[in-house]
Amino acid sequence: MKFVDLAASLDQMEATSSRNELVRILADIYRNCSARELQPITYLIQGRLAPFFVPVEIGLGERSLMIAIAAAYGVPKEEVIKLNRQTGDLGVTAQDLAKASPSESPSVVEVHERLNQIAAAGGAGSVQQKLDGFTGLLRDLDAISAKHLVRITLGKMRLGIGDPTVLDALSMAKKGDRSLRPILEGAYNRTSDLGQIAWTLWDSGEAGLEALKVRAGHPLRPQLAERLPNPEAVIKKLGTVGVQPKYDGLRVQIHKDADEVKIFSRNLESMTEMFPELVAAASELDVDSVILDGEAIAYDAESEEYVPFQETTARRRKEGIQEMAARVPMRAFVFDVMFRNGSDLTPLPYERRFAIVEELLRESDTLLTAPLTKTDSAEVLTRDLLDNISRGLEGVVAKRLDSPYQAGARNFNWVKLKRNTSGHLNDTIDVVLLGYYRGKGKRAEFGAGALLAGVYDSDKDEFVTISKLGTGLSDQGWREIHQRLASLEVAEKPPRVNSTFVPDAWLQPAIVVEVLADEITPSPRHTAGMAADHPGFALRFPRIVSLRTEDKKAEDATSVREIREMFEQQRRSKG
Ligand code: ATP
């Protein structure tokens, strides 16, 4: 496939506001490409060169790209800057400046390879090397291809494709319907690599997908926890449980494969650089290969104090990590093991996996086993919950002792119990920003009035609205949010958004915000959970607690199914 043909399809995707159409166009691309092109195309359409968990970056930001665009099209840099101010989209700026089309368009595989070479350039002189490589590539492309190349390089595709959209398109391309979705999803939960899944499906069919197993070095999607309102409900539903403290740090998946250690976040991003002390501790473990699941938190073993979450996430900054590691060393409380010495442990019952964690970590004082107590008594569970809260922890997680590790599933194998603040829902909700209203007065100064927020309907792969948000942020917070919104603004409603509200500006679903509300109420206008025979759901008195862009993608926001369950629990507890 020529890059110009891919670019034409990307243009069609950009123009549609229907999810079905998006899937159809993407399925057509897959039908018309060769097996060798499946992987590069799958990564490129998501603004990547490799799967999300492989930290390859092209390494050219807006400023460098402006220099390359100026050089490629023989115009002064100032002109690029000026035009870009008008278009507000560097892709469109490149498209506007591109000259007559070259006679021959490079193939998708060639463009992917050349971008990889640009990404690989490092050391002295690499900035110039990257710029030259990119300028050369722009010169070989037509205007529409240039627009998409620039967007791929910036990782800003503006197409509204999510991972489930890709899975549906693969199924459509291969089978003509969505019937392969469950098997594709299973493979995705175990490997997190859409490109590899696409290639495997073409190369060795459904049996090939089934044979894709968990392996060290490749993150699997994390098992997630359900909610229940109180300890009594937990014991009633689960019987005997293993109870663990719920640490408020950062979820970490620690992989050791021979001499190499990698660490991944909750949304499968590489975090290896952030945690040198965890890497060192993992490499000392007496195993050839292992995958551990746990929570990283700064912990002072002497005073037995946990350092607040902000201190843990400060590691996100690239500078000063060694200094921070010396000042507030990180521990990881490990609660699970999914793989050891070549064996997939996910089918084993939790009790067995936990025993393996204890055995593996006996010697380590950085990777600590999260303590587990076994009980079938609601009183004991209540005591544990209160005890953990008084020690400054978030609450407890109760786990079914006979459950397998179900990658990517949120179910009652694990149940989280937190402090129950009266008058509030007993958990926060993670919403995705879908649009905003310009606002009046002081708010207008910051560029944003109320925000339109939604949750994720995973069955339909759609974002549905649940609330408008107007409170909870400081003036500075509003300013910051507006800065982030600017780059996500799109002219039309994105294809996967379902809303009866029409905000002043639509946003690509990307920013996840943690919200606390008093309750969930029925709503005739919000589309979350709305069906022919019942209204949607809305949040009563919502206020923003924090931004969660760091570790949650839009699809990781609270789901409609969770909202429905919280609504039912709230109704039962009101009696
Ligand atoms: P989720 O990860 O469930 O989408 P969240 O990130 O908003 O939601 P919570 O709902 O508060 O977090 O709780 C689940 C998270 O709690 C896990 O993802 C994990 O990071 C953390 N956690 C802390 N301690 C434990 C533990 N002992 N067992 C499992 N998870 C734990």
Side-chain angles (χ1 to χ4, degrees):
M1 182 180 281
K2 297 282 180 205
F3 193 78
V4 65
D5 299 325
L6 177 65
S9 299
L10 296 180
D11 245 28
Q12 283 177 19
M13 286 194 224
E14 194 187 344
T16 183
S17 62
S18 139
R19 180 184 185 271
N20 284 343
E21 191 56 14
L22 203 61
V23 171
R24 189 194 62 74
I25 302 166
L26 194 50
D28 271 348
I29 299 180
Y30 281 126
R31 260 187 225 109
N32 294 327
C33 75
S34 69
R36 187 162 173 246
E37 290 162 344
L38 287 163
Q39 272 178 288
I41 288 179
T42 304
Y43 304 134
L44 290 173
I45 56 168
Q46 295 203 307
R48 304 273 315 153
L49 297 181
F52 198 59
F53 60 84
V54 179
V56 208
E57 302 298 338
I58 298 174
L60 289 170
E62 287 226 351
R63 273 193 206 168
S64 310
L65 288 184
M66 287 184 187
I67 298 172
I69 291 169
Y73 304 132
V75 294
K77 198 178 100 190
E78 291 64 36
E79 194 182 322
V80 180
I81 296 173
K82 197 169 138 211
L83 181 60
N84 196 52
R85 238 180 255 131
Q86 290 163 16
T87 65
D89 177 336
L90 198 53
V92 174
T93 306
Q95 180 182 14
D96 286 354
L97 289 169
K99 301 271 157 54
S101 301
S103 53
E104 182 79 21
S105 171
S107 68
V108 171
V109 171
E110 183 187 331
V111 171
H112 182 251
E113 269 167 16
R114 286 168 72 176
L115 286 174
N116 265 309
Q117 283 163 13
I118 297 172
S126 65
V127 176
Q128 196 54 46
Q129 232 174 313
K130 282 179 192 283
L131 281 175
D132 292 346
F134 197 85
T135 307
L137 197 45
L138 274 179
R139 282 196 185 127
D140 289 346
L141 295 176
D142 61 290
I144 295 191
S145 298
K147 172 173 82 176
H148 293 291
L149 180 80
V150 167
R151 288 181 179 171
I152 288 169
T153 305
L154 292 171
K156 289 184 185 162
M157 296 303 287
R158 296 173 175 256
L159 301 175
I161 299 177
D163 295 348
T165 326
V166 176
L167 295 178
D168 268 353
L170 289 172
S171 180
M172 289 299 263
K174 209 62 195 166
K175 269 269 163 92
D177 57 28
R178 293 188 159 87
S179 60
L180 289 178
R181 182 67 192 272
I183 183 172
L184 283 163
E185 214 161 79
Y188 178 55
N189 286 337
R190 295 189 299 276
T191 63
S192 318
D193 185 343
L194 289 172
Q196 186 191 19
I197 287 170
W199 189 82
T200 307
L201 178 60
W202 262 249
D203 180 66
S204 40
E206 293 170 47
L209 289 179
E210 300 274 21
L212 283 178
K213 294 287 177 236
V214 172
R215 62 185 164 125
H218 284 229
L220 55 154
R221 301 189 65 225
Q223 159 96 47
L224 301 171
E226 269 288 354
R227 302 173 181 81
L228 281 173
N230 52 46
E232 290 73 22
V234 173
I235 298 297
K236 191 162 162 229
K237 187 156 181 96
L238 278 70
T240 304
V241 289
V243 188
Q244 273 172 344
K246 184 172 188 309
Y247 304 95
D248 186 15
L250 270 184
R251 182 95 179 243
V252 282
Q253 208 177 90
I254 304 171
H255 290 237
K256 177 182 179 191
D257 186 14
D259 294 336
E260 196 175 9
V261 174
K262 291 180 186 167
I263 300 184
F264 302 103
S265 68
R266 183 196 181 291
N267 68 8
L268 312 179
E269 220 180 313
S270 165
M271 296 200 300
T272 314
E273 307 298 317
M274 261 172 78
F275 297 125
E277 60 276 62
L278 301 187
V279 172
S283 46
E284 277 166 22
L285 293 178
D286 188 19
V287 272
D288 290 333
S289 60
V290 75
I291 306 179
L292 301 169
D293 197 354
E295 188 88 353
I297 188 164
Y299 175 65
D300 184 336
E302 252 167 52
S303 63
E304 293 191 14
E305 274 177 10
Y306 301 93
V307 182
F309 181 65
Q310 285 80 344
E311 193 69 53
T312 309
T313 52
R315 294 281 182 106
R316 289 255 170 216
R317 284 184 242 116
K318 295 222 162 53
E319 307 83 40
I321 286 184
Q322 292 296 348
E323 183 264 325
M324 263 190 269
R327 194 163 46 86
V328 236
M330 221 32 107
R331 300 282 194 280
F333 286 91
V334 175
F335 43 75
D336 224 314
V337 58
M338 295 85 103
F339 186 85
R340 180 176 61 163
N341 293 341
S343 307
D344 177 1
L345 305 183
T346 57
L348 294 185
Y350 183 51
E351 212 163 7
R352 291 267 305 282
R353 300 198 309 277
F354 185 76
I356 296 173
V357 172
E358 283 189 304
E359 181 194 317
L360 279 169
L361 304 185
R362 215 176 297 137
E363 306 282 313
S364 179
D365 52 13
T366 297
L367 303 179
L368 308 169
T369 309
L372 185 82
T373 49
K374 216 166 135 173
T375 185
D376 62 356
S377 142
E379 288 78 55
V380 175
L381 180 54
T382 307
R383 215 174 49 221
D384 258 10
L385 173 64
L386 295 176
D387 185 39
N388 277 295
I389 289 171
S390 70
R391 286 167 54 218
L393 292 160
E394 252 196 319
V396 294
V397 184
K399 299 180 178 176
R400 220 190 267 270
L401 294 164
D402 58 359
S403 62
Y405 189 98
Q406 283 178 274
R410 186 186 295 283
N411 56 29
F412 290 95
N413 289 346
W414 294 7
V415 176
K416 51 194 177 190
L417 272 176
K418 300 190 198 178
R419 182 206 313 266
N420 191 346
T421 14
S422 60
H424 301 156
L425 290 171
N426 61 10
D427 199 5
T428 54
I429 291 167
D430 293 322
V431 297
V432 192
L433 302 185
L434 303 175
Y436 68 86
Y437 296 85
R438 298 217 189 277
K440 299 190 187 83
K442 193 166 158 201
R443 283 286 175 72
E445 264 175 53
F446 308 140
L451 303 163
L452 182 62
V455 289
Y456 183 54
D457 189 330
S458 48
D459 297 334
K460 298 188 187 145
D461 183 26
E462 201 173 70
F463 296 94
V464 281
T465 72
I466 192 162
S467 192
K468 287 185 190 170
L469 303 175
T471 50
L473 285 175
S474 62
D475 289 358
Q476 180 56 22
W478 280 108
R479 251 179 232 117
E480 270 176 33
I481 250 199
H482 182 64
Q483 274 163 10
R484 297 205 197 190
L485 298 187
S487 67
L488 293 169
E489 210 174 304
V490 280
E492 303 286 334
K493 182 188 75 60
R496 290 191 298 153
V497 173
N498 172 0
S499 170
T500 64
F501 292 92
V502 180
D504 293 333
W506 289 106
L507 299 169
Q508 280 290 351
I511 299 186
V512 178
V513 170
E514 186 183 11
V515 165
L516 185 66
D518 282 8
E519 60 176 344
I520 296 168
T521 54
S523 154
R525 292 201 63 197
H526 282 292
T527 44
M530 187 183 269
D533 55 350
H534 58 84
F537 295 114
L539 301 180
R540 191 168 139 85
F541 298 134
R543 52 252 180 227
I544 298 175
V545 182
S546 70
L547 296 185
R548 299 240 6 201
T549 335
E550 304 285 359
D551 66 341
K552 287 208 167 178
K553 289 206 273 184
E555 289 83 2
D556 297 322
T558 302
S559 67
V560 168
R561 191 174 61 84
E562 291 175 83
I563 295 288
R564 195 175 296 123
E565 272 168 22
M566 291 171 89
F567 180 73
E568 291 300 328
Q569 287 181 14
Q570 169 191 295
R571 191 152 67 181
R572 279 197 292 274
S573 70
K574 276 185 183 165

